[in-house]
């Protein structure tokens, strides 16, 4: 199966939520992707934030077993597409992995709005819920089947 890698800063808030929301959509729609996540400055093994866990749970999903991991060459090489939550994450990856620029993009680019997904870290449950809603809306807006069926490149 082909992997979609979601990337944020610490891999404890945004990208884990994107991972579970996207995987649910892939499974429900029969799209043969596996969702994964990582962070540009993640501490390997950190769990998902408690508010991210709560936001996933509302959708019947679990982040209880999530273990953060830092983006690596292996992650990038193994992904069909790398979806960054912000333009700054994309810039970081393009600098670190220029050979893979064709597969690195942002949520905003895929959604057609060029907006970053704001960082809820340290915020209230409401801030996390707004972030989760933004991620879900974008995931639902993307034509994943077209990406799966094509050789999508920037």
């Amino acid at each position: 199966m082909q992997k979609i890698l979601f990337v944020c800063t610490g891999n404890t808030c945004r990208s884990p939520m994107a991972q579970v929301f996207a995987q649910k959509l892939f499974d429900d729609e029969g799209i043969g992707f596996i969702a994964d996540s990582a962070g540009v400055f993640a501490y390997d093994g950190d769990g998902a934030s408690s508010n991210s866990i709560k936001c996933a749970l509302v959708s019947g999903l679990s982040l209880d077993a999530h273990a953060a991991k830092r983006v690596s060459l292996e992650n990038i090489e193994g992904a069909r597409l790398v979806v960054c939550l912000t333009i700054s994450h994309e810039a970081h990856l393009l600098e670190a992995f220029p050979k893979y620029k064709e597969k690195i993009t942002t949520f905003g680019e895929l959604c057609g709005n060029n907006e970053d997904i704001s960082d809820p870290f340290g915020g209230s449950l409401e801030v996390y819920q707004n972030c989760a809603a933004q991620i879900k809306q974008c995931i639902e807006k993307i034509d994943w089947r077209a990406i799966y069926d094509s050789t999508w490149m920037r």
Side-chain angles (χ1 to χ4, degrees):
M1 287 224 177
Q2 299 177 49
K3 187 179 293 185
I4 303 293
L5 180 67
F6 296 95
V7 177
C8 69
T9 305
N11 193 217
T12 60
C13 303
R14 293 171 287 182
S15 59
M17 288 193 291
Q19 178 183 350
V20 295
F21 296 151
Q23 191 63 59
K24 179 169 179 13
L25 183 138
F26 299 157
D27 293 346
D28 289 351
E29 299 292 323
I31 301 169
F33 284 136
I34 295 174
D36 195 9
S37 65
V40 295
F41 300 116
Y43 291 100
D44 289 338
D46 279 357
S49 69
S50 62
N51 283 336
S52 291
I53 292 170
K54 291 173 187 173
C55 288
L57 192 57
V58 168
S59 296
L61 305 170
S62 176
L63 283 171
D64 290 339
H66 176 76
K69 65 180 174 275
R70 187 176 292 243
V71 173
S72 67
L73 177 59
E74 183 179 291
N75 299 134
I76 300 294
E77 285 179 336
R80 165 77 182 275
L81 185 64
V82 179
V83 183
C84 299
L85 281 286
T86 69
I87 292 169
S88 66
H89 297 132
E90 179 187 39
H92 179 86
L93 293 186
L94 290 173
E95 184 176 322
F97 307 102
K99 178 180 173 183
Y100 298 99
K101 66 182 176 186
E102 294 84 14
K103 64 166 83 177
I104 299 170
T105 188
T106 64
F107 252 126
E109 184 177 349
L110 290 175
C111 292
N113 62 18
N114 291 323
E115 292 180 11
D116 285 347
I117 304 293
S118 58
D119 191 355
F121 184 76
S124 67
L125 180 58
E126 182 180 4
V127 169
Y128 275 80
Q129 289 167 331
N130 290 337
C131 178
Q134 187 182 12
I135 291 169
K136 280 185 188 177
Q137 288 171 357
C138 193
I139 286 172
E140 292 168 0
K141 188 175 181 181
I142 297 168
D143 188 349
W144 295 105
R145 190 165 304 284
I147 293 170
Y148 184 81
D149 291 340
S150 73
T151 55
W152 187 90
M153 295 290 193
R154 290 182 97 192

